[in-house]
Amino acid sequence: MRFQYLQPASLQEAFSLLAQHSPQAKVMAGGTDLLVAMKMQKLSPSVVIGLSQIPEMAGVAYDSSSKAIRIGALATHQEVSSSSAILEKFSHLAGAASLVGSRQVRNLGTTVGNICNASPSAETAPALLTVEAVVNIAGPTGTRQVAIGDFFTGPGRTVVGGDEIVTEVTIPDPEPNSAGAYIKLSPRRAMDLAVVGVAVFLSVRNGVCDKARVALGAVAPTPIRVPDAEAILSGEAVNDNLLEQAAQAAMKACRPISDVRSSAEYRREMVGVLVKRAIREALGRSRNQEGD
Amino acid sequence: MKERIALLVNSEEYVVDVEPYWTLLDVLRREIGLTGTKKGCDSGDCGACTVLMDGKAVDSCLVLAVAAQGKSILTIEGLARDEKLHPLQEAFIEYGAIQCGYCTSGMILSAKALLDENPHPTEEEIRKGIAGNLCRCTGYAKIVEAISAVAEGK
């Protein structure tokens, strides 16, 4: 591992460094993925541009004027999992962030970095897919907003261009009486990647499921949403029959591979089991909110 | 090209010349000579290199030394006060929570970070708090007992 390390103090400076050194440069936030990839010689950039000195990229905050939570590119998994705004509105996202690696990794690694690395099993991706998250991508000529559903293009690949930097992810306020669930299946309870990750977020009105979102991780080339399962649940008083239909839709939508962690067949079966379990959990929580 | 940096380790300032790609772990061990921090996997999986940075447990193998400037770093060498071991160090000895010792520095620093944040953790919280620290000798039971004993003031 040998590189030049540059620490720009502003986003503008970061763009000019990136333009100067691209494509030999990599952008680094927490570094928990990039440093390991460089040590293993999977990546060998000659320049690393560290974002840690750019103050506006830090932290998690709720912006009451735009009614959205803003997760800065430097916000660690630990900050996301303990943010009161995220715990209150999107507890399943906080839960997903709390399952990444170990405490030592969560104190360094960032949620925005997690999605930029675009692992199919990225822990926080399914939950972000269920909450209409928007990725803010800045480039030398301006900023663009990309819906998280359009962000991933393949394993390790996103829509972010070589001259661009993701500055933050924003999440708009949820519908009333919304709640979510995230279930990670992995042999170990810590320090492990998901064999399957399932996130559900839904709202309830008069006891009926109003809007539902279902997303899966580690079972396709990218984290995916399952619109067919969502359509089955929306506007319905969810019963066992509908749960089964939603589970079947998710099993049909996923495209798992067999690898060292699991066979494709097992992953698909578990998608069915966990989708039902996550819907039940989320429904229970939203009904409790409506009952309050 | 080497850069001269100042690191604040165990409340003492060290001025060292480092390459930009050297990790905090390597600089602590090789340049500063604080070898209590251990190198295990060197990829953030084992926790042997855990140190506290501004009070937070981090894997020092995943931190660049140049990026640790301006932070307060605590290693195992900084725990004892006036020749007196820290209560966690005493408890690890008393409860037999040390066997080969390789994980111990990181384990104790993770435990310290946990107790600083949550002085009276449940057993489950202790196990979660040290989930990023591998131990191949003890089976963890005695480590959990030692941390519980400190939390309960025994």
Side-chain angles (χ1 to χ4, degrees):
Chain A
M1 184 166 82
R2 264 169 192 274
F3 51 83
Q4 198 188 347
Y5 185 66
L6 305 172
Q7 296 191 83
S10 71
L11 202 51
Q12 278 317 313
E13 194 188 337
F15 290 135
S16 68
L17 291 172
L18 199 51
Q20 199 181 326
H21 298 285
S22 183
Q24 276 80 41
K26 286 294 279 185
V27 171
M28 182 169 115
T32 53
D33 274 324
L34 182 62
L35 286 171
V36 174
M38 289 191 293
K39 289 182 192 201
M40 295 177 130
Q41 297 177 350
K42 285 180 187 163
L43 290 172
S44 40
S46 56
V47 172
V48 172
I49 300 171
L51 301 179
S52 66
Q53 305 300 314
I54 305 178
E56 63 265 36
M57 293 173 87
V60 178
Y62 181 70
D63 179 27
S64 48
S65 62
S66 62
K67 293 194 181 339
I69 291 173
R70 174 194 157 278
I71 300 174
L74 292 171
T76 62
H77 291 302
Q78 190 58 35
E79 289 175 84
V80 168
S81 68
S82 59
S83 146
S84 54
I86 295 179
L87 282 166
E88 184 200 321
K89 295 169 201 279
F90 307 107
S91 64
H92 65 316
L93 173 60
S98 79
L99 293 172
V100 176
S102 64
R103 182 64 186 260
Q104 293 95 312
V105 168
R106 291 192 295 277
N107 279 338
L108 293 169
T110 66
T111 297
V112 169
N114 189 227
I115 63 162
C116 287
N117 282 311
S119 163
S121 66
E123 201 79 77
T124 56
L128 287 169
L129 277 166
T130 62
V131 295
E132 317 279 328
V134 174
V135 187
N136 285 261
I137 306 173
T141 55
T143 301
R144 59 190 179 116
Q145 276 81 36
V146 175
I148 185 81
D150 300 324
F151 182 73
F152 303 108
T153 55
R157 292 207 316 270
T158 69
V159 297
V160 180
D163 57 350
E164 293 181 312
I165 293 172
V166 175
T167 55
E168 63 188 30
V169 167
T170 56
I171 311 173
D173 266 352
E175 314 268 323
N177 305 320
S178 290
Y182 175 71
I183 302 178
K184 170 187 188 174
L185 178 70
S186 65
R188 297 160 70 201
R189 280 186 294 168
M191 295 305 300
D192 208 351
L193 300 181
V195 168
V196 175
V198 174
V200 169
F201 193 69
L202 46 77
S203 58
V204 162
R205 199 188 300 174
N206 304 322
V208 169
C209 176
D210 189 19
K211 227 174 159 185
R213 300 181 200 96
V214 178
L216 310 174
V219 292
T222 68
I224 55 167
R225 244 173 95 169
V226 189
D228 288 349
E230 297 170 1
I232 288 164
L233 301 170
S234 299
E236 299 286 344
V238 177
N239 55 27
D240 284 354
N241 180 29
L242 289 178
L243 275 178
E244 188 55 42
Q245 287 183 37
Q248 291 294 333
M251 289 168 71
K252 217 167 151 187
C254 69
R255 286 174 288 151
I257 56 164
S258 292
D259 64 10
V260 64
R261 289 174 205 287
S262 162
S263 67
E265 292 79 5
Y266 180 71
R267 281 197 165 99
R268 193 183 298 275
E269 281 297 312
M270 290 305 106
V271 163
V273 172
L274 298 179
V275 161
K276 280 190 270 191
R277 202 175 287 171
I279 294 169
R280 277 203 195 96
E281 247 180 61
L283 264 180
R285 285 185 195 143
S286 354
R287 284 186 177 138
N288 277 345
Q289 278 188 25
E290 196 179 37
D292 281 346
Chain B
M1 200 181 68
K2 279 192 185 166
E3 183 185 339
R4 178 153 296 183
I5 63 166
L7 292 176
L8 186 64
V9 185
N10 305 331
S11 309
E12 266 188 60
E13 192 180 77
Y14 294 88
V15 176
V16 279
D17 294 334
V18 303
E19 291 286 357
Y21 44 85
W22 285 356
T23 62
L24 176 60
L25 170 63
D26 284 337
V27 170
L28 284 172
R29 288 182 56 84
R30 204 177 51 211
E31 307 302 312
I32 298 179
L34 293 172
T35 53
T37 305
K38 301 302 178 195
K39 183 188 264 194
C41 67
D42 204 22
S43 56
D45 291 318
C46 77
C49 68
T50 302
V51 300
L52 304 196
M53 198 158 77
D54 289 342
K56 292 178 191 144
V58 298
D59 294 315
S60 60
C61 73
L62 296 182
V63 176
L64 295 175
V66 287
Q69 290 177 93
K71 316 256 187 199
S72 174
I73 295 149
L74 181 72
T75 72
I76 193 70
E77 289 90 345
L79 277 186
R81 285 270 168 276
D82 305 325
E83 306 282 301
K84 199 174 175 318
L85 292 180
H86 185 276
L88 277 165
Q89 292 172 307
E90 293 281 9
F92 267 58
I93 297 168
E94 190 186 335
Y95 284 80
I98 302 173
Q99 286 186 30
C100 86
Y102 206 81
C103 75
T104 307
S105 307
M107 201 63 92
I108 286 178
L109 285 159
S110 281
K112 181 175 190 307
L114 170 71
L115 296 184
D116 287 349
E117 184 180 280
N118 176 5
H120 301 290
T122 61
E123 183 186 330
E124 184 62 28
E125 286 168 336
I126 293 175
R127 288 189 176 270
K128 206 171 172 205
I130 58 168
N133 295 79
L134 287 185
C135 171
R136 300 287 80 160
C137 307
T138 64
Y140 303 99
K142 288 176 186 298
I143 292 173
V144 174
E145 279 172 30
I147 299 169
S148 302
V150 175
E152 289 160 18
K154 279 186 196 158

